[in-house]
Amino acid sequence: MVVFSLGGCFLNPQASDKEIKNVLADNEHILYGLPDSDCRLLYRKGYVLCHNGETKVADWASYHLTKEYLVPGVSRSDNFRSDCDLVKGMRSELLDYRGSGYDRGHLVPAADMARETLTMSESFLLSNMAPQRPSFNRGIWKVLESKVRNLGRDNSGLYVITGSLFMDADSQKTIGSNEVYVPSHFYKIIVAGNRNDPENLKAIAFIIPNASFPSSQLNSFIVTIDKVEEESGLDFLSDLDDSIENTLESENRLTGWFQN
């Protein structure tokens, strides 16, 4: 099922037919194809997200990041709230995180959405959160997010896809009365370049355990997009020509940007 709701239904419960048609026809956040649609697809102004009603976290969140989008327009809002576009019992609530020992970890970072009030507010919907260990969220994950923004400032545009993985025994761990699953790992895929020049696109991917690691180890978690597909069961970049997709998914051409 698809939900198109700017800012979540707290801010804009109704969207016009024209808005819906435009956002679905050529959405800037999924120009290379939906990784999967067997989920609750939430279309926001700042990103598109695929929410899993069983785990209560997103399988993936995708967004377009440009130099212009990285010019700050508003301050961080910290407006954490449940997502009223999701049914109670199929979503996380603030109480689930309270006293859990886990952070409400952003998939789409607030700092990447600081261009305006609406996109900033959208980033604090709990559908955009997953339980992250504090040392992970405030450590190596934060460093990776910062490096992505630096890359975005020096390129014509980025496409960023972030999601949750459940790869080991911790995958059965949950928090709160709604049993929000705690991901064992998180992944991030970054594609740099102009979509009108697909042969010159460059990409890199990371899979990082939801644990404490020094930021100096970031490069040790570089993987191929093929590896993320293997672990997630998703199909990324499916709208690209097969030869281009296969090259991007099997090689890492942005490693130098993430040297520590």
Side-chain angles (χ1 to χ4, degrees):
M1 182 178 292
V2 173
V3 175
F4 173 68
S5 179
L6 292 177
C9 59
F10 285 110
L11 297 183
N12 186 9
Q14 300 295 326
S16 69
D17 290 342
K18 182 178 180 181
E19 284 179 310
I20 295 174
K21 182 178 179 180
N22 288 342
V23 79
L24 296 180
D26 193 24
N27 190 281
E28 66 172 308
H29 305 305
I30 52 168
L31 288 179
Y32 298 139
L34 284 170
D36 178 36
S37 59
D38 186 20
C39 56
R40 184 76 170 220
L41 285 170
L42 301 173
Y43 285 78
R44 310 301 190 195
K45 183 171 184 180
Y47 58 88
V48 173
L49 181 145
C50 175
H51 186 267
N52 187 316
E54 179 181 356
T55 63
K56 318 310 190 294
V57 298
D59 291 339
W60 57 265
S62 178
Y63 63 102
H64 186 202
L65 191 63
T66 68
K67 298 175 187 178
E68 293 74 21
Y69 287 170
L70 285 167
V71 176
V74 296
S75 300
R76 182 183 169 100
S77 70
D78 283 334
N79 183 23
F80 292 98
R81 63 198 188 280
S82 59
D83 192 332
C84 60
D85 286 324
L86 300 172
V87 177
K88 287 186 176 181
M90 302 288 284
R91 70 190 192 195
S92 61
E93 307 286 351
L94 290 172
L95 282 174
D96 292 319
Y97 284 90
R98 193 166 298 166
S100 70
Y102 287 86
D103 282 359
R104 297 163 295 196
H106 284 72
L107 299 181
V108 177
D112 293 9
M113 298 289 113
R115 59 188 181 270
E116 60 178 274
T117 300
L118 177 57
T119 52
M120 173 61 74
S121 178
E122 289 176 333
S123 76
F124 283 94
L125 290 163
L126 289 185
S127 54
N128 184 43
M129 308 287 162
Q132 293 183 342
R133 296 186 183 277
S135 57
F136 171 84
N137 182 37
R138 307 171 200 180
I140 195 170
W141 191 246
K142 182 178 180 180
V143 170
L144 176 55
E145 292 174 335
S146 177
K147 287 181 179 290
V148 170
R149 282 190 291 277
N150 289 338
L151 180 63
R153 294 184 183 98
D154 290 334
N155 281 268
S156 58
L158 300 183
Y159 289 88
V160 186
I161 307 172
T162 302
S164 309
L165 294 172
F166 303 90
M167 294 169 54
D168 56 30
D170 281 348
S171 298
Q172 301 305 311
K173 180 176 177 58
T174 64
I175 61 170
S177 61
N178 290 291
E179 298 185 335
V180 181
Y181 279 57
V182 178
S184 64
H185 296 68
F186 289 88
Y187 69 84
K188 193 177 291 290
I189 296 169
I190 304 104
V191 180
N194 190 322
R195 71 176 178 125
N196 296 317
D197 186 18
E199 292 186 357
N200 288 314
L201 292 174
K202 298 179 181 180
I204 194 169
F206 296 81
I207 293 178
I208 309 178
N210 187 6
S212 178
F213 293 95
S215 59
S216 60
Q217 292 188 21
L218 181 61
N219 279 17
S220 67
F221 298 110
I222 293 174
V223 298
T224 63
I225 298 174
D226 282 335
K227 179 63 174 176
V228 181
E229 289 185 330
E230 176 186 336
E231 297 294 348
S232 66
L234 301 175
D235 183 13
F236 302 102
L237 313 180
S238 58
D239 282 359
L240 289 172
D241 180 89
D242 285 346
S243 63
I244 296 172
E245 179 186 357
N246 292 337
T247 299
L248 279 175
E249 292 183 350
S250 62
E251 299 178 3
N252 289 310
R253 297 182 175 182
L254 288 169
T255 304
W257 283 97
F258 294 88
Q259 296 291 340
N260 294 287

